[in-house]
Amino acid sequence: MSQASHALVEVREVSKRFPGVQALDSVSVDIRPGEVHAVAGENGAGKSTLMKLLAQLEKPSEGDILVEGERVRFRSPRHAQRLGIAMVHQEFALAPDLSVADNLSLGREHTRAGVIVRGSEKRRARELLERVGVAVDPGRKVSSLAVAEQQRVEIAKALAVDARVVIMDEPTATLTDAEIDSLFELIEQLKGEGIAIFYISHRLDEIMRIADRVTVMRDGQVVETLDKEQLDEGKLIALMVGREIDTLYPKQEAEIGDVVLRVRGLTRPGVLLDCSFEVRAGEILGFAGVVGAGRTELARAVFGADPVSAGCIELDGRELRLGSPGEAIAAGIGYLTEDRKGEGLAMQLSVIDNVTLARIPGRGIWIDRRAERQAAEQRSDELSIRAPSLHRSVEALSGGTQQKVVVAKWLQTDARVMFFDEPTRGIDVGAKAEIFRLLSDLAGKGRAIVLISSYLPELTNMCDRIVVLRDGRTVGELRREEFGEERIMALASGTEKEAA
Amino acid sequence: MSVANSPAGTSRALKLPEGLRDRLNEILSQLAAAAGLIIVAVALSFASPYFLTSNNLFNIGVQVSIVALVAVGQTLVILTAGIDLSVGSVAGLGGILGTMVIAKLGFPVVPGIIVGVLVGAAIGVVNGLLVTQMRLPPFIATLGMLGVARGLTFIVGGENAVYGLPSSFRLFGEGQIGPVPMPIVYLIVVGAAGYVVLSRTKLGRYAYAIGSNEEAARISGIPLNRYKMAVYIISGALAGFGGMIAASLVHSGQPNYGVGLELNAIAACVIGGASLFGGVGTIGGTLIGAFLIAVITNGAVLLNITQYYQQVIIGVIIWLAVWWDQVRRRRLAAVAAQAHGRRGTEAAQDGQSSIRAQGDDGAPGEAGSARA
Ligand SMILES: Nc1ncnc2c1ncn2[C@@H]1O[C@H](COP(=O)(O)OP(=O)(O)OP(=O)(O)O)[C@@H](O)[C@H]1O
Ligand SMILES: [Mg+2]
């Protein structure tokens, strides 16, 4: 075991500056063979940046990276792969229109006289897929795979280049519970093979489960590196946030009023079948269900983002005909999307422009730029949005900060019924509490809130009522007294008979 | 990222100069593009004594005006991640129909000009419908229109130019306000309007947003089709207007007018920093791009360089401009990093209540809890 104490990769006093931001400030960490090294920290702490330096996606401003004691030169991601460092990207870097086999051999095609030898590629692909435990035909197009399968292919791609260090940046953000379990099994297996893993996550329970060591970062610096034995959640949080957090779920009891939104029999062929629910003023309603149960689809249908074939939507007892999100927003319905890159943000636009996009202050065709700036300043104070400047494009912000910008955009619409679809995805613990405080405040002001989350404690702690969906149908409804994770999961997976 | 321990008021005071600084960066970046223009101009003023005469400068202004007008419309389209390849043909069609109603149907001059503009707008409507209703890619929709509009020009107007225009029509293009030729006046008005549209109106903001992320724009409630229609209509109308100015300058409607105009207009946008992927671009940049092309063309004429070399030069300029733009962005980033010092200023956590430990509902702890 003397081998194991040797650092496989070492980062020595590395700094990285971006315009207006010191993303990393003299950071040192190392990783040993067969170790899971978790990196934790608030949004914008510099976790992803550190990993990008390792994968040679970004160039360090100062400092050295050593692989097996030798300084490496910065060249290209390909060079990093040759050194045995591979990254599993959160936004997968697969070519969607190519087959799995082609993706696995991309850039390293096995050729004979310049012609790709398909047979041997398929065979190799099958081996790799078997190693990561996914049974798909290597001839299938990547775009036809489920998210979890695509992630496996990404990991297989890392193994294909004989990676000794695999970097996983928030790998569980889009996975279901069962998928997370099997990812962890795979990680254990890789550990056994001596592969080292850098693991970034905002879910402390995951870190507690899987990490051998944890490095906590704050404001671009390493606060401390802890061994497994020293781990304790309260301590982790305190180290990450630099202050103590009172409660993660600041739920206030709000007075629950009349039904604001009533949805009856909403149907969208192949996606939603006869979905009904209602939500009252001051109430936080949860949508529970496994990934793919139709929670997002139901919210989108109510919001007018997708067409429906049957059903009715009533707001304050008056039936609405919603043809577009614009009409829904005008009627007082808002929808925070789960996919911030794809549907949430206009990346090249500034923070201000994004915050006011769904509701621009002004008259007629004109924009009132002063009011706009004030609105954005107020929202960014409210949500502690950490941006070097509100005039900068949101592209350069960290993932969690971007998420806050999307939240700010929807607060700005001041909708009476607000759908929050996975609002805490990629957000650090401190900011999560802030966002839940905001939900509570909104409910306190008499807004009707629908919260969609794959993380049950968020629902059971924040909601007044939970509607469970399965296979595109609303299959049950639980009041606060009836909440229980087993009960909800049984409904969601169909092992319990439908309630009411 | 240091956490500012200042009260909220101080942090707000800090934000303003930051905004100014970014504005400055933006201006500086356009100055960088303008620097190319200045260098070429200075070089030419040495190479040809005629270059810096007011006569020649106004001449350049008149020559650039049509391309620049059309490029203003093109900028709007490009911002939405679209493109309008039909503007050259539309200028031809607008010019022919506008002059025909004056010469053949006896329309007064101003209504005739309006007809030219409306023809362009109508083509814009069709382009917009092709893009929004038939969901054709803008490149295909307007490539088709490039052929259709040019064909229509000859079908309606025949192969011959339209003559017999009243002399008052001449004033529209050749008149002056003080010493300033009318085309330059139009350019100033349209350029200013374009600037205002992009920076102060919803149309401008939405154009940027649509080009940056169409789905995000749709979910944010922006009526995509309406605003896409608007940019193609504006582009078409400006092309029709450009066609009428051109007709006035040569005192006749020429069915061949505008061939290749679209390429110069697109080149102006790109040289001026617009991204063909949408979401990035400014009117100022586009105008600088148009002037750069015009000055080079003018210089080539003064120095007796053939048209073929001009085309080569402009092609190379497009490469250089886009390359330089990328270098500049990277450099600017580095400079800004130094100017900002080691840490970014942030109004991060002030005003946020400090929170105590040990919660009531078992938090802070997510461990052991199940997930659906
Ligand atoms: N390309 C870039 N240009 C400018 N600034 C950047 C760039 N990438 C990251 N930053 C800044 O560097 C800092 C660290 O960002 P990073 O993405 O590493 O944070 P993170 O710890 O991964 O956060 P999160 O948990 O939100 O993903 C942030 O302030 C971010 O705004
Ligand atoms: Mg990150």
Side-chain angles (χ1 to χ4, degrees), chain B residues 344-357:
Chain B
T345 22
E346 278 174 291
Q349 293 193 331
D350 39 19
Q352 189 177 314
S353 56
S354 59
I355 314 176
R356 271 177 309 100

Side-chain angles (χ1 to χ4, degrees), chain A residues 360-362 365-369 372, chain B residues 199-202 205:
Chain A
I360 301 188
I365 63 167
W366 301 101
I367 295 174
D368 180 346
R369 298 214 292 184
E372 186 179 44
Chain B
S199 58
R200 320 246 147 167
T201 69
K202 294 183 182 172
R205 175 67 51 78

